[in-house]
Amino acid sequence: AQKVTQAQTEISVVEKEDVTLDCVYETRDTTYYLFWYKQPPSGELVFLIRRNSFDEQNEISGRYSWNFQKSTSSFNFTITASQVVDSAVYFCALSEGDQTGANNLFFGTGTRLTVIP
Amino acid sequence: DTGVSQDPRHKITKRGQNVTFRCDPISEHNRLYWYRQTLGQGPEFLTYFQNEAQLEKSRLLSDRFSAERPKGSFSTLEIQRTEQGDSAMYLCASSPSVGISDTQYFGPGTRLTVL
């Protein structure tokens, strides 16, 4: 069975601080994909990144970086020099592979990040 | 490129009434998904379509729920005899259909309140 755990329910940081959001996943599949989405107060889920199970390279995009470690089943997300606009709920999600190619997403419960000016 | 759109954005109804939501995916996206999100939780998968074919349904989708995508373009989600427990945000997402690697892009959601 698949599961995504985001143990941090809420995090508050002061602007310009770095913050890391944790994500731990469980799956029996060898082929799977991991995602991060941002949900600002407006409510719309915004795609941030996708990672497949065969690519453990870390990725950096501007102030965002992701650390994927299969050995610990973790896919953590770091925001460097946080800004007020980063305040949102962040979701980690897992998509498993199967023969039909179905890729419905299993989401964690989210981490609410508040950046204080 | 136009994103995923959903209509209406908000719906308030009385218990026992039927409601219907519409989702227009990104053009040329073959796959369309419906999710439900309750307060403080992550979205939960309800069902998905590959073109007009409904290929998977979650156990969350009771008999009162039905979804269609008649021409493989827009989709509708109908809830019959609404209950207060149906109050949630209903999210639609679309993706191109190339294996399992495709990213789902979400619409703004329809927030349903059942009184």
Side-chain angles (χ1 to χ4, degrees):
Chain A
Q2 60 285 115
K3 188 177 179 182
V4 176
T5 301
Q6 294 180 257
Q8 304 150 307
T9 306
E10 295 191 25
I11 300 177
S12 292
V13 297
V14 177
E15 200 171 20
K16 297 185 184 177
E17 286 184 345
D18 299 347
V19 58
T20 295
L21 309 182
D22 298 333
C23 173
V24 174
Y25 63 92
E26 293 177 29
T27 178
R28 294 177 185 169
D29 279 16
T30 55
T31 301
Y32 55 89
Y33 289 79
L34 295 164
F35 301 80
W36 276 94
Y37 284 86
K38 174 182 179 180
Q39 190 171 43
S42 61
E44 187 162 344
L45 280 162
V46 177
F47 165 71
L48 295 178
I49 191 171
R50 176 186 75 210
R51 250 312 175 242
N52 73 55
S53 52
F54 299 111
D55 183 1
E56 285 193 72
Q57 274 193 330
N58 292 331
E59 183 159 337
I60 298 175
S61 176
R63 296 184 298 106
Y64 296 169
S65 63
W66 290 269
N67 183 359
F68 176 28
Q69 292 193 339
K70 288 179 75 171
S71 59
T72 55
S73 297
S74 65
F75 186 43
N76 296 338
F77 172 30
T78 297
I79 302 175
T80 303
S82 59
Q83 300 176 0
V84 173
V85 294
D86 295 328
S87 296
V89 180
Y90 290 85
F91 290 97
C92 180
L94 167 72
S95 171
E96 293 179 327
D98 62 34
Q99 293 179 354
T100 67
N103 60 340
N104 46 289
L105 295 169
F106 296 92
F107 285 85
T109 51
T111 298
R112 179 177 299 277
L113 173 66
T114 302
V115 180
I116 303 165
Chain B
D1 221 7
T2 308
V4 178
S5 61
Q6 293 187 244
D7 184 69
R9 296 291 306 277
H10 302 273
K11 179 70 177 178
I12 300 174
T13 191
K14 293 183 180 178
R15 190 176 53 187
Q17 298 294 305
N18 299 343
V19 294
T20 300
F21 311 140
R22 175 178 170 128
C23 170
D24 287 87
I26 294 171
S27 62
E28 299 181 357
H29 275 192
N30 294 348
R31 290 192 175 176
L32 187 148
Y33 301 80
W34 286 99
Y35 291 83
R36 182 177 71 184
Q37 185 178 21
T38 53
L39 203 60
Q41 299 298 314
E44 295 173 294
F45 169 74
L46 292 178
T47 188
Y48 96 96
F49 292 85
Q50 170 86 23
N51 298 313
E52 65 274 11
Q54 188 173 16
L55 296 186
E56 187 172 345
K57 294 188 207 179
S58 159
R59 58 178 174 79
L60 294 176
L61 215 65
S62 76
D63 291 344
R64 296 184 297 106
F65 288 69
S66 63
E68 293 183 345
R69 194 182 182 198
K71 296 182 180 179
S73 57
F74 73 91
S75 175
T76 57
L77 178 68
E78 181 182 15
I79 309 175
Q80 296 183 326
R81 304 181 303 282
T82 52
E83 302 173 355
Q84 288 186 326
D86 297 331
S87 295
M89 176 78 87
Y90 289 84
L91 296 166
C92 176
S94 71
S95 74
S97 74
V98 181
I100 70 162
S101 65
D102 298 305
T103 298
Q104 294 177 36
Y105 295 93
F106 284 81
T110 294
R111 183 170 295 284
L112 173 66
T113 302
V114 182
L115 303 176

